[in-house]
Amino acid sequence: MSKPDILIPSPLRDMIIDGLEPHFTLHKLYEAEDAEAFLKEREAIIRGIAVSFFHVDQPFIDRFPNLEIVSNFGVGYDKVDARHCGTRGIIVTNTPDVLTEEVADTAIGLMIMTIRELSAAERWLRDGNWEKKGAYRLTPGTLRGRTLGIFGLGRIGKAIATRAEAFGMSVHYHGRSKQAGVDYTYHSSLVSLAEAVDTLMIVAPGGPETEHMVGERVLEALGPDGVLINIGRGSVVNETVLIEALKKGTIMAAGLDVFEHEPHVPQALQDLPNAVLLPHVGSASVATRDAMGQLVVDNLKNWFSVGKPVTPVAETPFPRM
Ligand code: NDP
């Protein structure tokens, strides 16, 4: 029997390619000299796509009449039009759970780095200033007495909340619905959450529904002692508005792991002393990325061997509705 044909639009980690190769015929779009001709030749035979940070939008999906499954590397799948896949009966899978604790660790690290200025303090030492000029300044910010607001109290949001409680922070949250089984304070709007807290953690997914939800009103509500941490998706925050808010002191500081146009980070943001910037490293340890990669492989293997995805997303449930 011939192996199912899988399209790989952009480079994936070697362990994913090694896991797929024995079971599938792989078509690596990123190695093609003429991408259009490459796709045209293969449109009819592609049955699966394994993808990481590549726009799988409606026109792209519709090129493949025999597409059955899109296996996405990452729990966030805002670059894949899952709703459209759902209407065509195509399954979309992501990589939830295996990265939850790693991302929550990173979020807490970024929050402390931002409030206690740890990366600036380290630069002070490395630049020789400790010896030449003396101690690094006392930080205006402290974690003590802070209240954390979480936008997106899902798997990662809950893991962050547990850690924040251990640091003595009280926790509030906002999402489209009240979460069962938690007694954190729920706010039905993001502005109301921002008014109630001084530290706002974004862990919501990207996509049109959440685009630019953090803008002027939310940042003004957060206030001059406010700290914004974004570990979710860059598109949730209006970056231009945020830069102005950081310049004017509308909020005190921001810690960002994700950006609107990655990997581009505006120079105006890089120039700000009250912004801590990480290059999207939330889940980026070898162990966690391996576990995510294995799920990409397992979803495709399971689908083509037993007809069942391991981790389908909400828009393409299995068994199908
Ligand atoms: P979950 O689906 O478990 O949680 C998402 C939460 O966001 C839910 O509680 C949901 O609550 C809330 N939410 C608010 N608005 C929306 C919306 N419009 N659509 C869907 N959910 C919404 O996801 P995870 O906790 O596993 O991951 C959260 C996000 O974190 C990912 O989507 C990804 O963007 C980001 N992420 C970032 C990483 C990094 O490296 N920086 C790594 C991994 C993930 P409700 O349904 O009540 O609205």
Side-chain angles (χ1 to χ4, degrees):
M1 228 175 76
S2 70
K3 297 178 190 173
D5 291 274
I6 304 292
L7 179 72
I8 321 267
S10 56
L12 297 175
R13 299 187 63 225
D14 286 349
M15 61 84 59
I16 303 178
I17 300 292
D18 293 346
L20 293 175
E21 220 138 40
H23 311 279
F24 303 102
T25 302
L26 304 184
H27 303 270
K28 298 172 184 166
L29 177 60
Y30 55 93
E31 286 181 353
E33 276 183 17
D34 181 343
E36 190 47 42
F38 181 93
L39 286 174
K40 239 191 173 85
E41 241 170 60
R42 292 163 175 81
E43 278 168 355
I45 59 166
I46 295 299
R47 294 174 64 197
I49 298 178
V51 69
S52 171
F53 281 99
F54 183 90
H55 271 284
V56 181
D57 55 14
Q58 183 169 342
F60 191 76
I61 293 159
D62 286 343
R63 294 189 74 136
F64 309 103
N66 296 309
L67 184 61
E68 297 170 40
I69 181 166
V70 178
S71 182
N72 181 68
F73 179 84
V75 69
Y77 52 95
D78 42 304
K79 288 202 176 333
V80 178
D81 190 339
R83 211 157 269 158
H84 181 61
C85 285
T87 64
R88 274 202 42 203
I90 298 163
I91 295 286
V92 177
T93 63
N94 64 346
T95 60
D97 300 317
V98 294
L99 46 59
T100 295
E101 304 301 327
E102 194 82 72
V103 180
D105 291 346
T106 311
I108 294 291
L110 180 55
M111 179 178 73
I112 299 175
M113 279 173 78
T114 307
I115 294 172
R116 295 298 328 287
E117 302 179 6
L118 296 185
S119 38
E122 198 205 9
R123 279 197 300 276
W124 181 264
L125 180 154
R126 286 184 186 273
D127 291 346
N129 288 328
W130 191 13
E131 234 176 333
K132 281 187 264 169
K133 299 183 184 170
Y136 183 74
R137 74 169 190 158
L138 305 183
T139 61
T142 171
L143 221 61
R144 302 301 99 218
R146 278 196 173 259
T147 302
L148 181 66
I150 299 180
F151 173 32
L153 195 76
R155 290 168 292 238
I156 299 170
K158 288 190 180 95
I160 293 170
T162 306
R163 285 159 174 74
E165 279 187 301
F167 281 97
M169 302 176 89
S170 55
V171 176
H172 296 224
Y173 73 101
H174 165 68
R176 290 167 303 181
S177 49
K178 215 170 164 180
Q179 298 288 318
V182 297
D183 52 15
Y184 309 126
T185 309
Y186 176 71
H187 295 261
S188 58
S189 84
L190 186 54
V191 173
S192 145
L193 176 69
E195 273 165 359
V197 305
D198 49 28
T199 310
L200 182 61
M201 176 80 72
I202 310 300
V203 211
E209 279 179 39
T210 56
E211 191 172 0
H212 285 186
M213 274 186 72
V214 177
E216 237 164 89
R217 278 188 71 203
V218 169
L219 296 174
E220 270 163 19
L222 196 55
D225 195 33
V227 172
L228 176 78
I229 306 296
N230 189 3
I231 193 89
R233 277 292 178 267
S235 58
V236 182
V237 177
N238 184 330
E239 226 160 59
T240 312
V241 168
L242 174 64
I243 290 167
E244 278 314 299
L246 287 167
K247 274 187 190 160
K248 286 196 301 205
T250 309
I251 63 167
M252 186 173 82
L256 311 172
D257 183 48
V258 287
F259 303 88
E260 271 200 88
H261 306 289
E262 294 176 13
H264 174 71
V265 177
Q267 192 58 46
L269 199 46
Q270 297 191 43
D271 290 342
L272 287 169
N274 51 348
V276 174
L277 312 172
L278 297 180
H280 202 146
V281 293
S283 65
S285 71
V286 172
T288 295
R289 290 285 171 89
D290 277 355
M292 292 162 64
Q294 193 56 51
L295 252 186
V296 170
V297 173
D298 290 346
N299 269 298
L300 288 169
K301 276 173 63 181
N302 257 46
W303 177 255
F304 287 104
S305 59
V306 294
K308 237 182 113 178
V310 184
T311 47
V313 304
E315 293 87 340
T316 66
F318 191 85
R320 293 188 174 95
M321 305 297 272

